[in-house]
Amino acid sequence: MMGPPGAGKGTQAKFVAEHFKIPAISTGDIFRANVSEGTELGIEAKRYMDAGDYVPDEITNKMVRNRIDEPDADPGFLLDGYPRTLAQVEELDGMIKFTGHQLDAAVVLTVDADEIVQRLVQRAALEGRADDTEEVVRRRQEVYAEQTEPLIDVYRQREILIEIDGMGAVDEVTKRIFDALDVVPQS
Ligand code: ADP
């Protein structure tokens, strides 16, 4: 599940995971859990997250590798917010070749810029996420454009890209995603 910060990835990932009865693996959530538990990983990741930068690939890759090795991911899984760099794409290819999984679909949620700023400002008020200040949000948008947007073309070329209009009510967007994914052959 891909999309710029505030596109609704996390919200939709949970519905999709429930629908297909697979775990939703959110790198952002795992990082935040580690930050609040004060683990070594959390302490390291926090520096980058607070600045709106990506956590270095080696750290993120290792974390995802460990997570998809868990038995609940055996039947399949949904990744929310990973891969986010070209190096992570390669790493994921290697990981799933090893576990015997296949990437069936890459969903990208599209939302217009004004809507995103509004949503993030609202989320900041509700959840108080440290990386939802205006300055950091702007940085996260820049980093997404530079490092993650190029991945859209990679998955388009592999013919597994599904572009979903992320505007409108949450349940409308969910329906669009289900309709698109329900016809994708599952590996
Ligand atoms: P959003 O999609 O709104 O930016 P996330 O909750 O997905 O928020 O991620 C929050 C932060 O966690 C990111 O800004 C980044 O610092 C870190 N992060 C999450 N996923 C990755 C990843 N795949 N690679 C590097 N950093 C990541």
Side-chain angles (χ1 to χ4, degrees):
M1 184 81 71
M2 298 170 53
K9 289 188 301 290
T11 306
Q12 298 298 341
K14 288 190 182 75
F15 294 131
V16 173
E18 248 169 61
H19 185 70
F20 289 102
K21 301 184 173 58
I22 50 173
I25 300 174
S26 158
T27 43
D29 282 354
I30 303 176
F31 282 135
R32 275 186 293 278
N34 276 277
V35 170
S36 51
E37 287 161 22
T39 67
E40 210 174 303
L41 172 72
I43 292 164
E44 176 74 8
K46 189 176 189 307
R47 295 198 282 145
Y48 300 97
M49 295 169 75
D50 284 354
D53 288 321
Y54 287 165
V55 177
D57 286 334
E58 315 83 75
I59 300 178
T60 312
N61 289 334
K62 193 170 148 209
M63 191 178 83
V64 173
R65 175 171 296 127
N66 289 337
R67 180 61 189 87
I68 66 176
D69 263 347
E70 297 283 323
D72 67 329
D74 236 17
F77 48 85
L78 174 111
L79 292 167
D80 160 19
Y82 183 91
R84 262 174 151 113
T85 65
L86 290 167
Q88 291 179 12
V89 168
E90 260 184 56
E91 196 70 21
L92 176 63
D93 288 341
M95 279 182 221
I96 62 176
K97 200 169 169 199
F98 182 77
T99 57
H101 290 100
Q102 253 185 59
L103 212 49
D104 294 329
V107 175
V108 58
L109 291 177
T110 55
V111 229
D112 71 45
D114 290 345
E115 169 85 15
I116 283 187
V117 173
Q118 251 193 347
R119 286 184 187 183
L120 291 174
V121 168
Q122 211 176 17
R123 183 167 78 185
L126 289 171
E127 297 177 16
R129 257 177 60 163
D131 60 351
D132 276 345
T133 66
E134 201 188 321
E135 194 194 339
V136 178
V137 166
R138 214 172 287 136
R139 175 69 192 145
R140 277 159 61 212
Q141 286 173 327
E142 258 173 40
V143 174
Y144 178 83
E146 278 167 22
Q147 303 205 42
T148 306
E149 246 169 27
L151 273 56
I152 294 175
D153 267 337
V154 171
Y155 289 126
R156 185 178 290 123
Q157 273 162 21
R158 292 190 192 182
E159 297 181 354
I160 56 167
L161 185 74
I162 296 179
E163 284 175 284
I164 299 286
D165 177 6
M167 302 287 290
V170 170
D171 57 341
E172 283 167 25
V173 178
T174 307
K175 186 170 184 317
R176 284 176 208 143
I177 300 175
F178 285 1
D179 287 348
L181 283 179
D182 280 341
V183 297
V184 171
Q186 288 181 46
S187 57

